[in-house]
Each structure stands twice: as structure tokens, then as C-alpha cells.
Amino acid sequence: MEASRSFSSVSSSGEKPYSLSVNPSKAPVRFSPKTLQKPSFFHKIPSYQPLSHGGRLAFVCSSRNPISGVVPANNADPDGGFSLADYDEKPREECGVVGIFGDPEASRLCYLALHALQHRGQEGAGIVTVNNNVLQSVTGVGLVSDVFNQSKLEQLPGESAIGHVRYSTAGSSMLKNVQPFVAGYRFGSVGVAHNGNLVNYRSLRAKLEDSGSIFNTTSDTEVVLHLIAISKARPFFLRIVDACEQLQGAYSMVFLTEDKLVAVRDPFGFRPLVMGRRSNGAVVFASETCALDLIEATYEREVYPGEVLVVEKDGIQSLCLMPHPEPKKCVFEHIYFSMPNSVVFGRSVYESRRAFGKILATEAPVDCDVVIAVPDSGVVAALGFAEKAGVPFQQGLIRSHYVGRTFIEPSQRIRDFGVKLKLSPVRAVLEGKRVVVVDDSIVRGTTSSKIVRLIKESGAKEVHMRIASPPIIASCYYGVDTPSSEELISNRMSLEELREFIGCDSLAFLPIDSMKKLYDEDAGNFCYACFSGNYPVLPTELKVKRVGDFLDDGLNSSLEFIDGGWVQASRNQVAQKTVSSS
């Protein structure tokens, strides 16, 4: 029984998996967006060729992940320190973006909104504002609170701003790759902040360099600025349309010029982008609604897939970037990336995760005494599981919120040192108990095995793992940092093999069909590529990211290394058959 084909529970006693269709008693919370005034114009690009050759392009191959064959990079710390990154195996979102127009405290509001989005990226942060028709920028490496202080924010006056928090999926982790990027061209200056990943970045960059373009970074976002600069379209926002027409992949972007704020979302709507408004009329864009909440902006609606919104003093104009196919929103936003208090893709993230837990309790029940979560991302699903199972939820694992990136390990090695730094078991909750542990996902499986061992060492009688997502068997190419397929443990082990590896008494994943049933008629509008290997946008350059960041200055290396750790997979590893994406 392969993990990619069966999501039922497996127990060490050899009992048959329990299977039951689920009909949640309560529908997930939906938020009806407020409607803007009718757009003043609607523009379509007649020359557009659909990215998906019909809107439903995907491909399959005989192996579970169609793109593979990459050797992981070495994660060793050259200074001999202990890196917690080695023990943080969760998929990581690339970044979060913010845009504000028409508020005298734009930079301070942007700073606060970036705080709310800090979970989307911790490697760098930046803000760009407009003052006296000049774009001013402050960027830095580290957390938002590390980069900005009172004096830095005083350098950023103006009523319009864009901001960015970064975790890289393309490009190295260095200061020059921290966004927003600002560039000057013939008709002025433009700043951009980007969430997502362009699957045709290498070919676009090579073409631009052949025509004489000079790149200063290893980020795929810089390509967008070059395409805007060489465009012949008028006015400015049509340059953005012209540039985006050449992009393939995931992008939710905000642009800032001397007099405009522009928000753009790719035709598939992979990554979220929402619009809100403050009481003084200032317009706000952000990756999640939690950023709007913090700065007291009222959520109005999503930026629609394939839409360009142009904000200027005369008002807001909306136009169609290009005719868009069926949306393919990233389902992992609801599983892990987004904050539980956010509304993403028009749905409450909290209610989605709570429903995932209830489904697990229905389809993979087990006799237990207590339900605990792997904090923080597993908490809401665990609450749903406990509620449905009628078993108490307790805090069996306490997470330390004061752990830095690197620690010096004592000379006498401590087993599971990284996990113990982050998570502390509560013996009073666990000892002598049959424990259900709920987590959001399993990537490499190493952290899960150490968590199970910690719980058993604390006296638990039984440990049952319940995972609030289907098994991850394929890499993501749309702005999520995932390992190569060889490192995805569900891609190379059956469910029983995985249970034995982790060391738990039973293991169950969220059935993908039940997840789709939860989303009802909206199920076809989500991307499930990491669970199926069927990609809505063909990753034509066939690249996957090595584990860790490839540090490259972007100037001295050959073209194959320009995008910071991406390596080429052989084409014979990809099946040639094209099917409709599920």
C-alpha cells in the first residue's frame, strides 16, 4: 500500500484501515467580499496565449514525482555550530507583500503589516516609499524588528509604500536580494515586491542578457523590472501587463511609482493577495488579512486571478491581465502557511484546519486518552480532532519562542538536540496515556520520528500520529521551498514503512478526496500538485531547489548557477504524457 495511493490509517497491530465517507456537519466559513465600484475600463490582451494550453495542462509520469534526481547540498555549518535549520523540515513560504496608498503614515503602517506577515519570511525585510516623486528604500537582512527602528522609518516619509518579508526560493540569502527592488528607467522609477516563483525565469533571464541587460541580483523578481523597462506599451500599467504576459508561474506583486500603486495576481491565483481600506480612505494590499487587521484596514476582497488593480489619486481602476483559466490556489496556504486568523481565498484558515482535524477523527479514529498538537501549526487541527473524537485536548508539547538560528552543542552529544531546543514534552500530560499527536504535514520525517521518541520517553503508553494533510510526494514550483523528491519521505516509502520509520503506533494522513469534498464546488480551483505531481503550469525548465541556499554573488558564476541553488533535472525524468490536472 503506497502512501500516494492510500491515505488510510496504518497501525502497528496490523488492523485493517478504517474508512468512512465524511460529511461535515458545518460548512466552512465563507466571507462575501464587498464589491468595488464598476471598473472604469476592462482590457484584454488579444495576443495572449494561455499558459496552460487550454487551462488544464498537467503531466504525469510513472514515478510519484515527475521531476527528480537531485543530490542535496551539504547542510554542515562551517563554523562547527549547530544549525536549527537542519531540524526545521516544514515547507516554507517564499515571502509576504504589503502595499499602502494614501496614508501619511504609510511607512509605519507598512512596518506593522510586515510584522503581521513575519511568518511568511524571516530572512530579510524592506520598505519603499514615495516622497517628492522620489522612491526611497530601506532593506536589511533579518526580522522586521531587526531591520527597522525609529530612525530608519523616519527616512521613509510619504503617503505610499510597499513592503516585503523574504524567505528565498530563488536567489541567495543576501542583502542585494532583499526586496522591494527599485529601478530607474526612461520614464521614471518603479519599485516591486513579489510573492511567488517564476518557472520560466532562467529562459527569460538568458534572453534579456543576450540583448544586453545587466542583472544585479540572483532573484527571479528582477526579470520583471527588466521586462517593464524594455516594454513599448503605454501607459505604465500596460507595461506591467506586457511584462506579466511573458511570465509563467506564481506571482502576487505590488508595484510603486511616483504616483501609482499597482497590484497584480497571476492568472491561476496561486498565491493570495487581498485588498482592504482604512477609515481615512487609504487603500491597502497584503498577502493575508491578518496584516489588514493589525493596521485597522477593513477587508474588501481578493485581487482576482489575472487582475491588475491600479490605485491613484483619482481612484481605483481594474483590468484583466489576461483571460485566465480555472484558478489553482495553493491549498497549503490553508494547511500550514497562513495564520489561523486570516481569511485566505475567501475562507477562514482556522475553520479549514479545524475541519481537517474533524475529518481525521472521523476517517482514522483510534482509542486514546488525550489529543496533543505539534505547535504551533498543528494546534487548530488537533482541536478539531479532539472535538470530534470527544477526547480532551491538552498541551503535551511546549514550544520555545526564544530559540535563535544557531546553537553551540555541548561536546557530549545530546540526542535529538534540535527538537529538544524547540519542543519540551509535558510528562504530566503524557505519562501512561494513549496519545494522539496531530501535525500539519510530514516532509522528510526526521522531525516526526524525534517527536515520537520524545513523547515515548516521557512515559506515553501509545503514540498515534495524525497528519492534517495528504502525503507530500512532489516538489513545488510556485513559491514554496520544498526539498527534492528523494527527500520527501512519502515519495519513497509506503504508509507502513513510514509508520515504522517514525516509530509511532499508528499513522494516518488526511484523505485528499475528503479534503476536496470539504471545499465542495470550489475544490477544482485549488492546486494539489505537491500531493499528486500534476502541475497546473508546466515547469518547463525542470528545476528543483537543493536543500539550503546556494550562496552565489550572481556575477562570477555561469548561467546554470545564476538562480541561487537551482539545478537542472534531466528531461528523461519527466513523463511526456499530458493530462488534465486533478
Side-chain angles (χ1 to χ4, degrees), residues 297 467 546:
I467 308 302
R546 292 172 175 167

mmCIF file with all atom_site columns, all heavy atoms in Angstrom, residues 297 467 546:
data_model
loop_
_atom_site.group_PDB
_atom_site.id
_atom_site.type_symbol
_atom_site.label_atom_id
_atom_site.label_alt_id
_atom_site.label_comp_id
_atom_site.label_asym_id
_atom_site.label_entity_id
_atom_site.label_seq_id
_atom_site.pdbx_PDB_ins_code
_atom_site.Cartn_x
_atom_site.Cartn_y
_atom_site.Cartn_z
_atom_site.occupancy
_atom_site.B_iso_or_equiv
_atom_site.pdbx_formal_charge
_atom_site.auth_seq_id
_atom_site.auth_comp_id
_atom_site.auth_asym_id
_atom_site.auth_atom_id
_atom_site.pdbx_PDB_model_num
ATOM 1  N N   . ALA A 1 297 ? -7.415 48.067 8.848  1.00 0.00 ? 297 ALA A N   1
ATOM 2  C CA  . ALA A 1 297 ? -7.963 48.207 7.495  1.00 0.00 ? 297 ALA A CA  1
ATOM 3  C C   . ALA A 1 297 ? -9.065 47.160 7.332  1.00 0.00 ? 297 ALA A C   1
ATOM 4  O O   . ALA A 1 297 ? -8.919 46.020 7.763  1.00 0.00 ? 297 ALA A O   1
ATOM 5  C CB  . ALA A 1 297 ? -6.878 48.008 6.437  1.00 0.00 ? 297 ALA A CB  1
ATOM 6  N N   . ILE A 1 467 ? -1.967 13.282 10.581 1.00 0.00 ? 467 ILE A N   1
ATOM 7  C CA  . ILE A 1 467 ? -1.402 14.372 9.778  1.00 0.00 ? 467 ILE A CA  1
ATOM 8  C C   . ILE A 1 467 ? -2.527 15.069 9.017  1.00 0.00 ? 467 ILE A C   1
ATOM 9  O O   . ILE A 1 467 ? -3.250 14.432 8.235  1.00 0.00 ? 467 ILE A O   1
ATOM 10 C CB  . ILE A 1 467 ? -0.342 13.838 8.795  1.00 0.00 ? 467 ILE A CB  1
ATOM 11 C CG1 . ILE A 1 467 ? 0.691  12.988 9.546  1.00 0.00 ? 467 ILE A CG1 1
ATOM 12 C CG2 . ILE A 1 467 ? 0.322  14.998 8.068  1.00 0.00 ? 467 ILE A CG2 1
ATOM 13 C CD1 . ILE A 1 467 ? 1.411  13.701 10.671 1.00 0.00 ? 467 ILE A CD1 1
ATOM 14 N N   . ARG A 1 546 ? 17.893 22.735 -4.384 1.00 0.00 ? 546 ARG A N   1
ATOM 15 C CA  . ARG A 1 546 ? 18.650 21.978 -3.407 1.00 0.00 ? 546 ARG A CA  1
ATOM 16 C C   . ARG A 1 546 ? 18.272 22.396 -2.001 1.00 0.00 ? 546 ARG A C   1
ATOM 17 O O   . ARG A 1 546 ? 17.823 23.502 -1.776 1.00 0.00 ? 546 ARG A O   1
ATOM 18 C CB  . ARG A 1 546 ? 20.158 22.238 -3.589 1.00 0.00 ? 546 ARG A CB  1
ATOM 19 C CG  . ARG A 1 546 ? 20.738 21.681 -4.868 1.00 0.00 ? 546 ARG A CG  1
ATOM 20 C CD  . ARG A 1 546 ? 22.149 22.174 -5.015 1.00 0.00 ? 546 ARG A CD  1
ATOM 21 N NE  . ARG A 1 546 ? 22.818 21.579 -6.156 1.00 0.00 ? 546 ARG A NE  1
ATOM 22 C CZ  . ARG A 1 546 ? 23.960 22.008 -6.647 1.00 0.00 ? 546 ARG A CZ  1
ATOM 23 N NH1 . ARG A 1 546 ? 24.566 23.040 -6.093 1.00 0.00 ? 546 ARG A NH1 1
ATOM 24 N NH2 . ARG A 1 546 ? 24.508 21.420 -7.673 1.00 0.00 ? 546 ARG A NH2 1
#
